Amino acid sequence: MYKIRYIQEQLSDDFAKIPLEARREAIKYFKLFEKDYDKYTLPLYDMNGRNLQGCRKTYFWDAKYRIISKPVNGIINIINIVAVGKRENMEVYKLASQRINNTLVKKILSV
C-alpha cells in the first residue's frame, strides 16, 4: 500500500482549473495509486528543459490532463502529488517544475 500526500492549497488551485468530471477521474487515480502506483504511472525525464527526473505522470480525461507525482526519496510507500493540469502548451510540466524547485515544496517533498 502507498500513502498519497499533497499540498492542499496547490491541489485546490489545480482542481479549480479543470472540469468537475476530470477532477473526479483524478481522484479515482489517487485511489488506484494507493494500491499499485507503478501500474498507473509512467516515468518523466526532461520536458523541454525542465528536469522532472524522478517524477511520474498519469494521463487522464482522454489524455488531455496529467497528474504529476513523485515518490519520496528513500520511502517507497509515500507518493507526493506535485501537479494536476492540462498537458496543452506543457502547462502542467511547467507548473510541476516550478513547484519542485520551490524551496519550501522541495523540503515537503523530501520528508
Side-chain angles (χ1 to χ4, degrees):
M1 288 290 282
Y2 295 90
K3 179 180 178 184
I4 305 302
R5 293 191 321 187
Y6 52 87
I7 298 172
Q8 181 64 46
E9 298 82 29
Q10 290 180 350
L11 190 62
S12 294
D13 288 347
D14 293 351
F15 273 14
K17 297 174 189 170
I18 66 176
L20 178 60
E21 288 303 316
R23 280 182 253 165
R24 287 181 177 147
E25 188 173 337
I27 291 167
K28 286 179 186 176
Y29 273 106
F30 295 169
K31 290 176 183 175
L32 292 171
F33 292 169
E34 290 176 339
K35 294 178 182 163
D36 193 353
Y37 178 65
D38 291 330
K39 181 177 178 180
Y40 298 100
T41 62
L42 298 169
L44 275 171
Y45 304 100
D46 185 275
M47 300 298 293
N48 289 339
R50 290 170 188 82
N51 183 5
L52 295 175
Q53 188 169 359
C55 291
R56 297 182 69 84
K57 65 183 173 183
T58 301
Y59 304 113
F60 72 103
W61 218 53
D62 293 328
K64 293 178 188 171
Y65 293 90
R66 305 287 186 273
I67 298 167
I68 308 300
S69 55
K70 184 173 185 172
V72 174
N73 291 335
I75 306 173
I76 294 173
N77 293 345
I78 297 180
I79 307 302
N80 290 308
I81 304 301
V82 178
V84 177
K86 272 191 164 186
R87 184 230 182 266
E88 188 176 307
N89 297 321
M90 306 299 280
E91 183 180 308
V92 72
Y93 301 115
K94 293 174 193 173
L95 182 60
S97 179
Q98 289 168 353
R99 288 180 179 169
I100 288 169
N101 290 313
N102 175 302
T103 309
L104 174 61
V105 173
K106 241 186 212 181
K107 187 175 180 180
I108 292 168
L109 292 178
S110 65
V111 172

